[in-house]
Amino acid sequence: MMNSNEIDEKVLAKLKVKILKEEQDNAKTQAKKSSDMVDFIYTTIKNEVHKALK
């Protein structure tokens, strides 16, 4: 039988893993949003320059 401290440590470890996975997912989502924004800005500038050079 495990004592309550061992159980608490296991619960805390599982929670830490869950939080870290969530933070990782959030970071990936934010990176994707940033990448999409850079692509949008690049495309917009490229199109405007192309229009201006016609």
Side-chain angles (χ1 to χ4, degrees), residues 14-47:
K14 285 181 181 181
L15 285 173
K16 285 179 184 177
V17 168
K18 191 172 188 176
I19 290 169
L20 288 172
K21 284 181 180 176
E22 190 172 317
E23 287 177 348
Q24 184 180 37
D25 288 347
N26 290 344
K28 286 179 182 176
T29 300
Q30 191 58 47
K32 176 72 173 122
K33 286 180 182 177
S34 296
S35 175
D36 289 349
M37 183 57 73
V38 168
D39 289 345
F40 172 76
I41 292 169
Y42 171 79
T43 301
T44 302
I45 291 171
K46 183 179 78 171
N47 291 341

